[in-house]
PDB file of all heavy atoms in Angstrom:
ATOM      1  N   ILE G 347       9.747  -4.936 -17.670  1.00  0.00           N
ATOM      2  CA  ILE G 347       8.303  -5.185 -17.662  1.00  0.00           C
ATOM      3  C   ILE G 347       7.903  -6.184 -18.663  1.00  0.00           C
ATOM      4  O   ILE G 347       7.131  -7.091 -18.460  1.00  0.00           O
ATOM      5  CB  ILE G 347       7.575  -3.799 -17.894  1.00  0.00           C
ATOM      6  CG1 ILE G 347       7.740  -2.946 -16.643  1.00  0.00           C
ATOM      7  CG2 ILE G 347       6.111  -4.079 -18.262  1.00  0.00           C
ATOM      8  CD1 ILE G 347       7.193  -1.568 -16.805  1.00  0.00           C
ATOM      9  N   ARG G 348       8.550  -6.147 -19.881  1.00  0.00           N
ATOM     10  CA  ARG G 348       8.194  -7.124 -20.917  1.00  0.00           C
ATOM     11  C   ARG G 348       8.635  -8.492 -20.509  1.00  0.00           C
ATOM     12  O   ARG G 348       7.942  -9.568 -20.734  1.00  0.00           O
ATOM     13  CB  ARG G 348       8.829  -6.765 -22.225  1.00  0.00           C
ATOM     14  CG  ARG G 348       8.385  -5.437 -22.860  1.00  0.00           C
ATOM     15  CD  ARG G 348       6.964  -5.544 -23.325  1.00  0.00           C
ATOM     16  NE  ARG G 348       6.690  -4.361 -24.138  1.00  0.00           N
ATOM     17  CZ  ARG G 348       5.488  -4.040 -24.558  1.00  0.00           C
ATOM     18  NH1 ARG G 348       4.390  -4.819 -24.285  1.00  0.00           N
ATOM     19  NH2 ARG G 348       5.188  -2.983 -25.293  1.00  0.00           N
ATOM     20  N   ASN G 349       9.806  -8.646 -19.919  1.00  0.00           N
ATOM     21  CA  ASN G 349      10.324  -9.963 -19.524  1.00  0.00           C
ATOM     22  C   ASN G 349       9.503 -10.576 -18.406  1.00  0.00           C
ATOM     23  O   ASN G 349       9.242 -11.871 -18.433  1.00  0.00           O
ATOM     24  CB  ASN G 349      11.764  -9.765 -19.047  1.00  0.00           C
ATOM     25  CG  ASN G 349      12.469 -11.119 -18.865  1.00  0.00           C
ATOM     26  OD1 ASN G 349      12.538 -11.659 -17.776  1.00  0.00           O
ATOM     27  ND2 ASN G 349      13.017 -11.619 -19.987  1.00  0.00           N
ATOM     28  N   LEU G 350       8.950  -9.798 -17.538  1.00  0.00           N
ATOM     29  CA  LEU G 350       8.107 -10.369 -16.451  1.00  0.00           C
ATOM     30  C   LEU G 350       6.595 -10.404 -16.799  1.00  0.00           C
ATOM     31  O   LEU G 350       5.893 -11.303 -16.403  1.00  0.00           O
ATOM     32  CB  LEU G 350       8.306  -9.572 -15.161  1.00  0.00           C
ATOM     33  CG  LEU G 350       9.606  -9.822 -14.385  1.00  0.00           C
ATOM     34  CD1 LEU G 350       9.778  -8.864 -13.310  1.00  0.00           C
ATOM     35  CD2 LEU G 350       9.614 -11.238 -13.850  1.00  0.00           C
ATOM     36  N   GLY G 351       6.148  -9.362 -17.508  1.00  0.00           N
ATOM     37  CA  GLY G 351       4.744  -9.168 -17.614  1.00  0.00           C
ATOM     38  C   GLY G 351       4.156  -9.100 -19.008  1.00  0.00           C
ATOM     39  O   GLY G 351       2.949  -8.850 -19.202  1.00  0.00           O
ATOM     40  N   ASN G 352       4.977  -9.554 -20.026  1.00  0.00           N
ATOM     41  CA  ASN G 352       4.473  -9.523 -21.443  1.00  0.00           C
ATOM     42  C   ASN G 352       3.146 -10.304 -21.557  1.00  0.00           C
ATOM     43  O   ASN G 352       3.188 -11.508 -21.221  1.00  0.00           O
ATOM     44  CB  ASN G 352       5.490  -9.972 -22.428  1.00  0.00           C
ATOM     45  CG  ASN G 352       5.058  -9.759 -23.850  1.00  0.00           C
ATOM     46  OD1 ASN G 352       4.530  -8.729 -24.174  1.00  0.00           O
ATOM     47  ND2 ASN G 352       5.299 -10.731 -24.668  1.00  0.00           N
ATOM     48  N   LYS G 353       2.071  -9.744 -22.044  1.00  0.00           N
ATOM     49  CA  LYS G 353       0.783 -10.430 -21.991  1.00  0.00           C
ATOM     50  C   LYS G 353       0.334 -10.876 -23.417  1.00  0.00           C
ATOM     51  O   LYS G 353      -0.728 -11.424 -23.578  1.00  0.00           O
ATOM     52  CB  LYS G 353      -0.261  -9.499 -21.439  1.00  0.00           C
ATOM     53  CG  LYS G 353       0.039  -9.084 -20.024  1.00  0.00           C
ATOM     54  CD  LYS G 353      -0.905  -8.028 -19.486  1.00  0.00           C
ATOM     55  CE  LYS G 353      -0.531  -7.532 -18.043  1.00  0.00           C
ATOM     56  NZ  LYS G 353      -1.387  -6.465 -17.557  1.00  0.00           N
ATOM     57  N   LYS G 354       1.160 -10.557 -24.411  1.00  0.00           N
ATOM     58  CA  LYS G 354       0.759 -10.882 -25.780  1.00  0.00           C
ATOM     59  C   LYS G 354       1.982 -11.224 -26.629  1.00  0.00           C
ATOM     60  O   LYS G 354       2.942 -10.494 -26.691  1.00  0.00           O
ATOM     61  CB  LYS G 354       0.020  -9.704 -26.426  1.00  0.00           C
ATOM     62  CG  LYS G 354      -0.574  -9.978 -27.836  1.00  0.00           C
ATOM     63  CD  LYS G 354      -1.324  -8.780 -28.392  1.00  0.00           C
ATOM     64  CE  LYS G 354      -1.842  -9.122 -29.760  1.00  0.00           C
ATOM     65  NZ  LYS G 354      -2.640  -7.937 -30.266  1.00  0.00           N
ATOM     66  N   ILE G 355       1.907 -12.409 -27.260  1.00  0.00           N
ATOM     67  CA  ILE G 355       3.107 -12.873 -28.097  1.00  0.00           C
ATOM     68  C   ILE G 355       3.029 -12.159 -29.446  1.00  0.00           C
ATOM     69  O   ILE G 355       2.030 -12.087 -30.143  1.00  0.00           O
ATOM     70  CB  ILE G 355       2.989 -14.404 -28.336  1.00  0.00           C
ATOM     71  CG1 ILE G 355       3.239 -15.061 -27.024  1.00  0.00           C
ATOM     72  CG2 ILE G 355       4.068 -14.854 -29.353  1.00  0.00           C
ATOM     73  CD1 ILE G 355       3.136 -16.600 -27.077  1.00  0.00           C
ATOM     74  N   THR G 356       4.181 -11.491 -29.785  1.00  0.00           N
ATOM     75  CA  THR G 356       4.334 -10.771 -31.009  1.00  0.00           C
ATOM     76  C   THR G 356       5.753 -11.034 -31.589  1.00  0.00           C
ATOM     77  O   THR G 356       6.484 -11.669 -30.896  1.00  0.00           O
ATOM     78  CB  THR G 356       4.167  -9.255 -30.813  1.00  0.00           C
ATOM     79  OG1 THR G 356       5.290  -8.766 -30.055  1.00  0.00           O
ATOM     80  CG2 THR G 356       2.878  -8.842 -30.067  1.00  0.00           C
ATOM     81  N   PRO G 357       5.921 -10.701 -32.849  1.00  0.00           N
ATOM     82  CA  PRO G 357       7.330 -10.942 -33.418  1.00  0.00           C
ATOM     83  C   PRO G 357       8.413 -10.278 -32.500  1.00  0.00           C
ATOM     84  O   PRO G 357       9.474 -10.814 -32.372  1.00  0.00           O
ATOM     85  CB  PRO G 357       7.274 -10.314 -34.701  1.00  0.00           C
ATOM     86  CG  PRO G 357       5.789 -10.486 -35.155  1.00  0.00           C
ATOM     87  CD  PRO G 357       5.028 -10.272 -33.970  1.00  0.00           C
ATOM     88  N   ALA G 358       8.072  -9.111 -31.962  1.00  0.00           N
ATOM     89  CA  ALA G 358       9.048  -8.398 -31.141  1.00  0.00           C
ATOM     90  C   ALA G 358       9.253  -9.071 -29.772  1.00  0.00           C
ATOM     91  O   ALA G 358      10.307  -8.978 -29.198  1.00  0.00           O
ATOM     92  CB  ALA G 358       8.650  -6.918 -31.001  1.00  0.00           C
ATOM     93  N   TYR G 359       8.125  -9.645 -29.264  1.00  0.00           N
ATOM     94  CA  TYR G 359       8.156 -10.236 -27.966  1.00  0.00           C
ATOM     95  C   TYR G 359       7.557 -11.701 -28.089  1.00  0.00           C
ATOM     96  O   TYR G 359       6.320 -11.883 -27.812  1.00  0.00           O
ATOM     97  CB  TYR G 359       7.345  -9.337 -26.980  1.00  0.00           C
ATOM     98  CG  TYR G 359       7.950  -8.030 -26.792  1.00  0.00           C
ATOM     99  CD1 TYR G 359       7.346  -6.934 -27.501  1.00  0.00           C
ATOM    100  CD2 TYR G 359       9.081  -7.757 -26.097  1.00  0.00           C
ATOM    101  CE1 TYR G 359       7.803  -5.645 -27.421  1.00  0.00           C
ATOM    102  CE2 TYR G 359       9.613  -6.419 -26.010  1.00  0.00           C
ATOM    103  CZ  TYR G 359       8.984  -5.402 -26.657  1.00  0.00           C
ATOM    104  OH  TYR G 359       9.518  -4.163 -26.579  1.00  0.00           O
ATOM    105  N   PRO G 360       8.383 -12.625 -28.409  1.00  0.00           N
ATOM    106  CA  PRO G 360       7.846 -13.938 -28.758  1.00  0.00           C
ATOM    107  C   PRO G 360       7.493 -14.863 -27.702  1.00  0.00           C
ATOM    108  O   PRO G 360       7.108 -16.062 -27.820  1.00  0.00           O
ATOM    109  CB  PRO G 360       8.965 -14.571 -29.640  1.00  0.00           C
ATOM    110  CG  PRO G 360      10.183 -13.842 -29.139  1.00  0.00           C
ATOM    111  CD  PRO G 360       9.863 -12.507 -28.790  1.00  0.00           C
ATOM    112  N   SER G 361       7.619 -14.331 -26.408  1.00  0.00           N
ATOM    113  CA  SER G 361       7.318 -15.185 -25.238  1.00  0.00           C
ATOM    114  C   SER G 361       6.482 -14.405 -24.291  1.00  0.00           C
ATOM    115  O   SER G 361       6.619 -13.163 -24.127  1.00  0.00           O
ATOM    116  CB  SER G 361       8.552 -15.618 -24.595  1.00  0.00           C
ATOM    117  OG  SER G 361       8.265 -16.375 -23.413  1.00  0.00           O
ATOM    118  N   LEU G 362       5.552 -15.072 -23.586  1.00  0.00           N
ATOM    119  CA  LEU G 362       4.845 -14.418 -22.507  1.00  0.00           C
ATOM    120  C   LEU G 362       5.771 -14.168 -21.332  1.00  0.00           C
ATOM    121  O   LEU G 362       6.845 -14.732 -21.242  1.00  0.00           O
ATOM    122  CB  LEU G 362       3.716 -15.357 -22.020  1.00  0.00           C
ATOM    123  CG  LEU G 362       2.555 -15.610 -22.956  1.00  0.00           C
ATOM    124  CD1 LEU G 362       1.546 -16.668 -22.370  1.00  0.00           C
ATOM    125  CD2 LEU G 362       1.801 -14.376 -23.266  1.00  0.00           C
TER     126      LEU G 362
END
Side-chain angles (χ1 to χ4, degrees):
I347 291 175
R348 296 292 191 189
N349 192 263
L350 284 171
N352 187 44
K353 300 172 183 178
K354 184 178 180 180
I355 294 176
T356 67
Y359 302 100
S361 176
L362 292 175

